[in-house]
Amino acid sequence: MPSYVANIDKLKSKGVDEVWCVSVNDAFVMGAWAKDQKSTGKVRMMADGSAALTKAMGLEMDLTARGMGVRSQRYSMLLDNGVVKSLNVEAPGKFEVSDADSMLKQL
């Protein structure tokens, strides 16, 4: 998320209306994370506590054996009027395609 906070003006100049951060956490965790990252007014924090959205998109990963339950894969997605224009899913343990710089290249 830090790269999206840092690049919000560049994203908006390319026509992005909103940037959302969706995580399989509750609203309180997301609020604390937003405060820590100073993302208020830049990135909208969206709690997917039960992973319903994540599961509906097929982006869940089950880490129950590691004591973490169902989580979300790391990804970035570009939507245009509700239509997915690009979906960038990270390989496990990687951070190469879901950052703001990668998204900026797709706009």
Side-chain angles (χ1 to χ4, degrees):
M1 181 188 33
S3 68
Y4 285 91
V5 172
N7 286 289
I8 193 66
D9 292 332
K10 289 180 186 176
L11 290 159
K12 291 204 174 218
S13 75
K14 291 197 173 244
V16 172
D17 293 322
E18 291 188 53
V19 174
W20 292 12
C21 176
V22 179
S23 181
V24 180
N25 277 304
D26 62 51
F28 300 104
V29 169
M30 297 302 284
W33 192 16
K35 185 177 178 181
D36 178 71
Q37 294 296 306
K38 298 174 180 55
S39 69
T40 302
K42 297 176 183 176
V43 175
R44 183 179 290 205
M45 304 299 280
M46 305 297 286
D48 184 21
S50 63
L53 175 66
T54 299
K55 290 175 183 176
M57 293 189 301
L59 293 172
E60 76 277 5
M61 59 181 170
D62 189 350
L63 298 177
T64 302
R66 296 183 188 169
M68 295 172 60
V70 174
R71 310 306 298 166
S72 176
Q73 294 182 59
R74 184 185 301 260
Y75 64 92
S76 64
M77 180 185 300
L78 177 62
L79 296 164
D80 186 3
N81 291 319
V83 176
V84 177
K85 296 296 184 178
S86 66
L87 175 62
N88 312 298
V89 181
E90 294 287 358
K94 299 291 182 179
F95 184 59
E96 301 170 341
V97 299
S98 64
D99 63 321
D101 287 330
S102 296
M103 184 58 67
L104 282 163
K105 292 174 187 170
Q106 296 174 28
L107 295 170

